[in-house]
Amino acid sequence: MTFTETDLRAAAAAGALDSAQLAGLLAFLEQRSASLPVAIQAPPQLDVAHLLWYAGALIVMTAMGLFSTLAFSQMGGEALAVTALVYAAGFAAAGHYLWHAKGLRTPGGLLIAIAVSMAPLAVYGVQDALDLWGQFGKPGTVQGFYVWIKGSWILMEVAAILAAVIALRFYPFPFIVVIAGVALWFMSMDLAPWIAGTDHADWETRRRVSLWFGLGTLVIAWAVDWLRRGDFAFWLHLFGMLAFWGAVTSTSGGTMVDKALYCAMNVVLLFLSVFLGRKVYAVFGVIGIALYLGDLANKVFRDSLLFPFALSVIGVAVIAAGLLYYRHQAAITAWLDTNLPDALKRLRPAHAG
């Protein structure tokens, strides 16, 4: 449950707290909030100002990235690199000023994130100017970075990840992790040609690379969760699950035993969502279980009028399971806190405890 100062004052007005208790409680909460690391302090409310800040940041990132035109790329490598560096320096300076001088961490952090997002563009400009494309050749215009899979993008992705890590060291703003998460997701696809040693790796190679890269990203996400004890790992969990779960789900064919193991894996994801306090695992787990049950129903009720009814029953059962978990969520968490061995408890992120 979440309480505000208004709630506490209302409780005092109703006689539940006397004035001395109210003053002592407010002083304690204010001192505790100030002593918490930035990573786990209460996030700002999503009001109109915050929506405008985030929208503006995304517009700038989009303008310099996803919708970069052919004409923009034809400026030449030197001009591209200089443009990216000027943008990065300007936004970094403005973000630093808002962050430290004005105490405006949300707009300041967003400006720092924009500066970080310039790293791939700057690296593209340097590679284009010096013709450092390696064995795969020039992958096309900078716009293709967000569309085409090719090994030549690897250095741009590495630059984005390094820039995000450096920025997070000085400006612990969770949205910066989005840039690293996107770059990691792209890298999981672009590594396949490097491993296969060809311009275009086959589907199975890409799937295996995605699987192991996603698994590695999930390990990093858990480590960030556990070490920082704050909500910096959400996007890593999301992109890691997209890569790992997507690779496992896209496995073609498979015996009934293989599919049963797939269902068991998704059940494990549900338990992991409780253990780690991350709903993203529950989302993918539920989708995976529904896919397995739908495939099973298709085999059992193939060409039968009962097929849509069977799927309906599965959908209702999934909803009922969600309601059941919602009703007993507190009891499940309490049971875990009571019965988990101390060694496992130490592996749980602070927010899941």
Side-chain angles (χ1 to χ4, degrees):
M1 299 178 67
T2 303
F3 303 97
T4 64
E5 182 178 345
T6 302
D7 296 325
L8 295 177
R9 294 190 181 280
L17 296 171
D18 60 38
S19 57
Q21 289 174 325
L22 175 63
L25 183 57
L26 289 176
F28 167 77
L29 293 176
E30 183 178 356
Q31 181 181 7
R32 182 175 184 274
S33 177
S35 65
L36 286 175
V38 175
I40 57 177
Q41 289 181 12
Q45 295 181 349
L46 189 61
D47 53 19
V48 174
H50 285 80
L51 285 175
L52 292 175
W53 289 338
Y54 276 90
L58 290 173
I59 288 171
V60 176
M61 291 181 187
T62 301
M64 297 295 289
L66 185 59
F67 294 137
S68 295
T69 62
L70 180 61
F72 186 70
S73 297
Q74 288 177 341
M75 291 171 59
E78 296 89 344
L80 280 176
V82 170
T83 300
L85 292 174
V86 169
Y87 258 70
F91 282 112
H96 179 84
Y97 174 76
L98 292 179
W99 183 280
H100 289 288
K102 296 297 184 180
L104 297 172
R105 296 206 162 192
T106 297
L110 288 170
L111 293 180
I112 296 296
I114 294 174
V116 170
S117 71
M118 296 298 109
L121 184 62
V123 171
Y124 180 94
V126 172
Q127 287 183 276
D128 186 59
L130 302 179
D131 195 24
L132 300 175
W133 296 113
Q135 61 176 315
F136 301 114
K138 185 175 180 178
T141 66
V142 67
Q143 182 185 14
F145 177 62
Y146 301 88
V147 182
W148 303 111
I149 300 172
K150 198 165 185 181
S152 301
W153 304 118
I154 292 293
L155 289 180
M156 297 170 64
E157 292 150 359
V158 170
I161 295 168
L162 289 178
V165 170
I166 294 171
L168 284 169
R169 171 64 179 81
F170 299 99
Y171 310 95
F173 188 66
F175 187 75
I176 298 174
V177 182
V178 175
I179 299 169
V182 172
L184 283 168
W185 188 26
F186 285 0
M187 185 182 289
S188 70
M189 295 180 286
D190 292 332
L191 274 175
W194 281 61
I195 293 174
T198 60
D199 287 341
H200 302 284
D202 60 88
W203 168 257
E204 181 60 19
T205 300
R206 293 191 184 280
R207 191 190 68 79
R208 289 181 181 274
V209 170
S210 179
L211 189 152
W212 288 106
F213 202 91
L215 191 60
T217 304
L218 292 176
V219 172
I220 294 173
W222 167 82
V224 171
D225 243 348
W226 186 75
L227 292 174
R228 293 201 61 91
R229 302 191 180 280
D231 197 14
F232 280 77
F234 167 76
W235 293 101
L236 294 177
H237 284 289
L238 176 59
F239 291 120
M241 280 302 300
L242 279 171
F244 171 76
W245 183 89
V248 175
T249 303
S250 61
T251 304
S252 59
T255 64
M256 291 301 293
V257 174
D258 294 332
K259 293 180 179 180
L261 291 174
Y262 171 78
C263 181
M265 181 200 75
N266 285 281
V267 172
V268 170
L269 291 180
L270 297 181
F271 286 102
L272 273 177
S273 72
V274 178
F275 179 78
L276 296 175
R278 288 293 177 184
K279 295 181 177 64
V280 66
Y281 290 86
V283 171
F284 283 96
V286 168
I287 294 174
I289 293 172
L291 289 174
Y292 169 77
L293 294 177
D295 179 73
L296 189 63
N298 181 49
K299 287 180 169 56
V300 175
F301 298 102
R302 182 184 295 274
D303 300 326
S304 170
L305 289 174
L306 294 177
F307 180 63
F309 296 103
L311 284 182
S312 299
V313 170
I314 290 172
V316 172
V318 171
I319 294 173
L323 291 173
L324 187 65
Y325 171 74
Y326 178 78
R327 290 181 58 185
H328 299 283
Q329 185 175 0
I332 293 172
T333 303
W335 184 90
L336 285 174
D337 291 337
T338 304
N339 294 278
L340 276 180
D342 291 337
L344 287 178
K345 286 182 180 179
R346 287 193 291 269
L347 296 177
R348 299 185 75 195
H351 65 82

